[in-house]
Amino acid sequence: MSARDAILGRLGAPEGDPDAEYLLLHRGYLERHHGDGLVELFAERVAHYRAIVHRVTEAELPGALAAALRLGAYVVPEGVPAAWTGSIEPSRRLGPDADLERVSGTITGCAVGIAETGTIVLDHGAAQGRRALTLVPDHHLVVVRADQVAADLPDGLGRLDITRPLTFISGPSATSDIELSRVEGVHGPRTLEVFLV
Amino acid sequence: MSDIAKDATASRMPTYVGMPAFPKAAHEAVADTRLRRNLAHATGTIRERRAAAVAELDDWAELRDAGKRIKDHTLEYLGHYLRMLEGKVTEAGGVVHWARDAEEANAIVARLIKETGETEVVKVKSMATQEIGLNEALAEHGITALETDLAELIVQLADDRPSHILVPAIHKNRAEIRDLFSHRMPSAPEGLTDEPADLAEAARRHLRAKFLSAKVAVSGANFAIADTGTILVVESEGNGRMCLTLPETLITVMGIEKLLPSARDLEVFLQLLPRSSTAERMNPYTSAWTGVTPGDGPQNFHLVLLDNGRTDVRDEEVGRQALRCIRCSACLNVCPVYARAGGHAYGSPYPGPIGAILSPQIRGIGSKVDASLPFASSLCGACYEVCPVAIDIPEVLVHLRAKAAKKLPEKTVMKVAAWGLRSPARLALGQTLAGRARSLAPHLRFPRAWADTRDLPPIPKESFRAWWKRTHGDSADRKDAS
């Protein structure tokens, strides 16, 4: 007998209708923990993870992004609006095929922000690029529009297509493995800078 | 081979070779003052932080209840949801494999790696691969599995064993880690300090070249979504993201109980897990993938579904709830026994209260180690209180104790005690005899399962009644006379 048949055989077929019972599962928890002030809450919670948060207007964004750059070049994935990077010299903007080990950072958008947990979700669609772009370079600049900020996980997950590759980011890479002291930047980007428009 | 290897269930989860039963291991660990200091600091810190993170949510009790119900429902219809998962993963371009036990799982992973022609793979920290002893099994096939989680790397460099589910190197302090890196990590800089930031930087340099050149990665899974075939890994450092997205081939080993019916359930578990384990609102990184995505991430994805005793545990009416576990490790951090004995004393990759109920159920209570584990608890109930999926660990412990304590000597002792306690005269006689025999007490060997877990209190020279009679003889008589 194959392992598959052996395991499924052991599990048997209980009586009942799993799909109907699933729909009836009691969920007494809150769908939302927060009403107003989501953008403020999001900014506060992101900053709590020691990410750098900038509150900017649409007009201020290009200048703020350009001012945040360190030395070297930055990867700009497809779909990033030309207006965002208008203040950055073209020679410092590279396409997604750039050698990620040699670039200083990446500038991306995101799919969803979650206020309660201070989480930014990338679904690696337009303006976000493949997953490695936001992982290998040391400096991640991410633009979050106010209308992308959801209240809580239920709200945030509801806006996502779960079958896309997803990356949930809550602050920069961190470890607490040595005496539970938090250290930022173990493998992922050491600096996460959020531009909240 | 050791007697443990003869056990019928030995191929499921290796008992750490040469590991004594819990009482002996705990005795030795308790005497290690450095270990106790490291542990007390770490568990105390995380316990307080966790309580604050949980208190932030008004609906924690309801989330916990929903988490329990969703897991119970999934376990009830596990076959149904596993079939669904298999179909969806395959549809999305992944390949699903099934493994009855550790041996089968290890053989599948070794074969898949050999087919790529690689001899070195990078690994994301995973309890399932610890459970089946994957690294050791791969080594026998000439394959090196490099742990990339900082704590796992520390443990691997030290030829040590993990002692905590979440922070496997919790038993080591910064000075020990510095010495280890200086001696065992070729790329460690001269004059490395014991600052955590410097140590993390040394690990970053050591591992980066490996991540960028690895062709194959092995991971576990925190959750799998049945109706979409999505797998999730929850982590902090980014080593997981490195392994999950950079190599060409990804092999994920997952216990069959890690399933959730639908993506909506993540709203419950992504709230319960980070707050319970690292005391954060959310962990720094969570990755989700569904099969393969052309042009992004691994182009070959294999999912190994591991039973390894789980179908047996599921058949246990009381013990089944252990399969709700989401490996958050909150129970370890509140356990007074764990805080003193440390993780190694539990003799398996699953330490602490959850280990005390999971290991004997997966392996069966055939060995001394496993028969001793249900007794490795004070039954104080703190583990139940903090469990985000409400596993009643004390209830399962008592249930397993009843199974372990079916031997004649213990029954006899209990019968004699009952007879003696029923009559004051018999009690007085027993106390007199005990007083006279007190010098013999240290040499006595009671039924071991009982006596090995308890220190015998000193026996007084005379009983309280005898002392009262001797010193207050008059008043006692007068009272009797009135």
Side-chain angles (χ1 to χ4, degrees):
Chain A
M1 198 194 296
S2 72
R4 178 185 189 275
D5 293 345
I7 294 166
L8 290 175
R10 278 298 304 274
L11 293 171
E15 287 169 32
D17 179 352
D19 298 334
E21 284 179 36
Y22 176 78
L23 290 175
L24 293 175
L25 281 178
H26 179 70
R27 293 170 192 256
Y29 53 87
L30 300 173
E31 287 287 315
R32 286 182 74 138
H33 293 96
H34 307 282
D36 302 334
L38 292 184
V39 174
E40 287 69 29
L41 180 69
F42 176 75
E44 178 200 311
R45 300 250 154 131
V46 171
H48 183 82
Y49 300 121
R50 295 186 227 172
I52 301 162
V53 182
H54 305 271
R55 301 286 302 273
V56 294
T57 63
E58 196 90 41
E60 290 164 345
L61 179 64
L65 281 171
L69 298 195
R70 299 167 179 169
L71 291 175
Y74 281 70
V75 175
V76 181
E78 279 172 34
V80 167
W84 291 6
T85 55
S87 304
I88 302 168
E89 289 168 44
S91 65
R92 299 186 65 194
R93 290 178 270 163
L94 300 177
D97 295 330
D99 179 355
L100 297 182
E101 285 177 79
R102 305 185 79 98
V103 304
S104 298
T106 313
I107 301 167
T108 73
C110 72
V112 165
I114 300 171
E116 159 60 29
T117 58
T119 301
I120 294 160
V121 190
L122 306 180
D123 68 2
H124 303 282
Q128 298 159 65
R130 63 196 162 96
R131 284 168 279 177
L133 301 187
T134 54
L135 173 62
V136 180
D138 208 21
H139 190 187
H140 183 195
L141 292 83
V142 56
V143 178
V144 183
R145 293 192 321 266
D147 64 5
Q148 289 179 311
V149 177
D152 283 270
L153 266 161
D155 185 5
L157 284 165
R159 299 185 188 198
L160 292 165
D161 172 1
I162 193 77
T163 61
R164 293 191 61 84
L166 299 179
T167 306
F168 292 67
I169 300 172
S170 308
S173 160
T175 183
S176 298
D177 279 345
I178 302 167
E179 295 184 10
L180 296 179
S181 319
R182 189 177 171 94
V183 177
E184 262 106 54
V186 195
H187 302 299
R190 273 182 276 211
T191 313
L192 176 69
E193 253 177 279
V194 181
F195 297 80
L196 191 49
V197 186
Chain B
M1 291 297 278
S2 68
D3 57 342
I4 291 153
K6 284 182 211 141
D7 192 302
T9 52
S11 67
R12 286 182 176 170
M13 172 161 66
T15 302
Y16 288 160
V17 180
M19 205 66 209
F22 183 83
K24 184 159 188 294
H27 254 292
E28 285 160 16
V30 166
D32 183 343
T33 50
R34 180 159 69 171
L35 173 73
R36 287 187 65 175
R37 205 166 40 238
N38 294 355
L39 277 176
H41 166 71
T43 56
T45 308
I46 199 160
R47 196 163 56 223
E48 282 167 28
R49 286 186 199 162
R50 181 202 159 274
V54 164
E56 231 180 52
L57 294 185
D58 297 334
D59 58 338
W60 185 257
E62 289 78 14
L63 280 167
R64 185 178 184 241
D65 181 61
K68 170 181 182 281
R69 286 171 195 266
I70 293 167
K71 278 282 182 185
D72 279 345
H73 168 82
T74 317
L75 288 170
E76 179 70 23
Y77 296 104
L78 195 52
H80 169 76
Y81 287 119
L82 283 171
R83 283 191 190 92
M84 198 186 269
L85 178 76
E86 180 188 45
K88 291 293 174 180
V89 170
T90 310
E91 219 172 88
V95 183
V96 176
H97 309 261
W98 300 73
R100 267 170 285 218
D101 58 20
E103 211 174 300
E104 276 189 359
N106 289 333
I108 292 167
V109 177
R111 175 173 60 78
L112 292 172
I113 296 170
K114 280 183 180 171
E115 283 171 7
T116 67
E118 294 297 309
T119 55
E120 187 171 90
V121 300
V122 288
K123 264 194 75 199
V124 194
K125 171 178 146 36
S126 129
M127 293 309 296
T129 58
Q130 279 285 351
E131 174 187 319
I132 60 176
L134 179 68
N135 293 6
E136 295 75 10
L138 290 180
E140 286 175 20
H141 289 272
I143 298 164
T144 307
L146 182 73
E147 293 291 350
T148 61
D149 170 74
L150 178 55
E152 286 285 354
L153 174 68
I154 292 167
V155 169
Q156 190 175 47
L157 285 174
D159 289 325
D160 197 355
R161 298 168 182 137
S163 68
H164 192 282
I165 290 174
L166 178 76
V167 267
I170 200 169
H171 57 293
K172 292 204 178 294
N173 64 26
R174 60 181 72 189
E176 293 170 86
I177 296 165
R178 190 206 75 90
D179 290 347
L180 184 67
F181 280 14
S182 296
H183 292 120
R184 297 281 182 95
M185 195 186 273
S187 62
E190 289 277 323
L192 179 64
T193 74
D194 66 1
E195 275 302 308
D198 286 354
L199 295 169
E201 176 67 21
R204 180 184 176 105
R205 287 169 189 275
H206 173 71
L207 288 171
R208 188 148 263 237
K210 305 278 186 188
F211 284 133
L212 295 169
S213 62
K215 297 276 191 290
V216 182
V218 176
S219 86
N222 289 93
F223 305 106
I225 308 299
D227 70 0
T228 59
T230 306
I231 312 290
L232 286 96
V233 164
V234 172
E235 54 139 353
S236 293
E237 294 172 16
N239 64 304
R241 290 182 66 193
M242 290 274 185
C243 294
L244 298 169
T245 56
L246 297 181
E248 292 163 7
T249 300
L250 171 62
I251 303 166
T252 298
V253 182
M254 182 190 111
I256 53 172
E257 84 286 17
K258 290 275 167 168
L259 218 46
L260 298 174
S262 176
R264 187 189 171 191
D265 303 317
L266 291 171
E267 71 191 26
V268 176
F269 291 93
L270 288 182
Q271 295 193 68
L272 291 174
L273 180 58
R275 287 182 202 258
S276 293
S277 65
T278 53
E280 291 166 299
R281 295 187 181 108
M282 188 62 89
N283 52 289
Y285 296 131
T286 295
S287 301
W289 69 97
T290 308
V292 295
T293 307
D296 187 357
Q299 297 301 296
N300 309 299
F301 171 55
H302 296 274
L303 179 64
V304 181
L305 296 173
L306 174 73
D307 178 351
N308 207 32
R310 286 164 173 78
T311 47
D312 287 351
V313 181
R314 182 178 166 277
D315 288 344
E316 279 280 323
E317 207 177 315
V318 179
R320 171 193 278 206
Q321 53 186 313
L323 296 180
R324 293 205 295 260
C325 178
I326 54 172
R327 314 282 190 256
C328 74
S329 75
C331 62
L332 277 62
N333 300 322
V334 297
C335 178
V337 178
Y338 175 86
R340 285 161 184 81
H344 290 157
Y346 293 81
S348 95
Y350 299 107
I354 186 66
I357 63 169
L358 209 49
S359 307
Q361 290 201 91
I362 286 181
R363 294 193 296 221
I365 38 184
S367 75
K368 268 190 182 175
V369 175
D370 291 310
S372 72
L373 283 175
F375 297 90
S377 165
S378 61
L379 296 181
C380 71
C383 47
Y384 175 43
E385 301 237 324
V386 298
C387 179
V389 284
I391 301 171
D392 192 340
I393 296 178
E395 185 191 19
V396 183
L397 283 169
V398 170
H399 172 73
L400 293 173
R401 282 182 186 192
K403 283 187 153 184
K406 278 185 174 154
K407 292 175 192 139
L408 189 64
E410 285 155 63
K411 279 190 173 169
T412 312
V413 168
M414 290 306 160
K415 274 189 183 160
V416 171
W419 178 81
L421 290 167
R422 265 198 300 269
S423 141
R426 287 178 208 155
L427 179 63
L429 177 69
Q431 284 170 335
T432 310
L433 290 176
R436 290 200 190 138
R438 59 200 288 267
S439 60
L440 295 174
H443 311 295
L444 278 180
R445 301 299 292 154
F446 278 124
R448 289 202 184 169
W450 197 90
D452 283 357
T453 50
R454 294 162 178 86
D455 290 323
L456 197 60
I459 301 171
K461 262 188 240 170
E462 54 188 345
S463 69
F464 175 77
R465 287 153 158 260
W467 171 83
W468 183 268
K469 208 163 187 181
R470 181 165 59 77
T471 55
H472 298 71
D474 294 350
S475 61
D477 288 347
R478 253 203 311 279
K479 213 172 187 182
D480 283 349
S482 64

